[in-house]
Amino acid sequence: MAGKKIKRPDGRKPDEIREISYELGVIKNADGSAKFKIGNTEAIAAVYGPRELHPRFLQDPNKGMLRCKYNLMSFSVSERKRPAPTRRDTELSLVIANALSQCVFLEKYPKLVIDVFVEVPQADAGTRCAGICAASLALADAGIEMKELAGSISAGAIGDLIVLDLTKEEEDWPKGATDIPITYLPRQKLITGLQLDGDISFADFKKALKMAMEKCKDLVKKQEEVLKARYKGSDEE
Ligand code: UDP
């Protein structure tokens, strides 16, 4: 179907993501921490552990647990969010933990838990993906034994235009938008997170998925650069 040419409100190309930045070690009390900004969305991740899992009956003698708590702060959105945890916060906590579990050698941490806290002080869509990127870097910063880092980005469609990294304005597109947050682990070639909100044809879905997987590779490369830059000096000391 030949639709009218859609232009993105901020003038980005379809596969162009917003400006990004990573920062390591933002929470001094945590074992590892990182901040990730993508446009006006900002996520801070703090990792505590590995530490003993309580209550003890939850302990697995063969592997550790990666647990996550996601929180969209009250003032992070234009219409104040009530501070009590919502069903969405609970869902996203599980989504983030599942997306990241395959990054870690959990078998190295029997009976232990690695706690990942994701706080979102500013939200303009894509917060679960931003949280995953921040948490991936924070896990590495905490010295957790990892198989690899994770990249996460939302793909989707506004009208018939397939795009990456939708803003809130794009998610609320009057004629309908589709949002597909994706987490991809490039070394294992594993998709560990995929949700779909909206309608999309299978051909467009495949196109969106391919675009997101490519961008996740870039996001991981950037994380590697940040880690290398941080620890480069410590070799020479
Ligand atoms: N949002 C909001 N109030 C809420 C929850 C979400 O204004 O209580 C906004 C916020 O900008 C968020 C966006 O809606 O980033 C999209 O939320 P969604 O549930 O799709 O998750 P996200 O895209 O943030 O992973």
Side-chain angles (χ1 to χ4, degrees), residues 203-214:
D204 285 347
F205 170 75
K206 283 199 289 189
K207 188 175 166 189
L209 189 60
K210 199 163 169 237
M211 272 163 65
M213 283 159 73
E214 279 310 308

Side-chain angles (χ1 to χ4, degrees), residues 70 72 77-79 81 88 92 123-129 168 171 179:
Y70 163 101
L72 187 77
V77 284
S78 44
E79 202 170 301
K81 181 218 163 219
R88 176 181 175 275
L92 296 201
D124 181 13
T127 62
R128 77 197 68 194
C129 298
K168 178 76 177 136
E171 277 193 5
D179 181 29

Side-chain angles (χ1 to χ4, degrees), residues 26 74 157 165 175 193 219:
V26 291
S74 293
D165 184 30
K175 286 190 182 152
L219 288 165

Side-chain angles (χ1 to χ4, degrees), residues 197-208:
D197 184 12
D199 295 320
I200 194 162
S201 71
F202 187 52
D204 285 347
F205 170 75
K206 283 199 289 189
K207 188 175 166 189

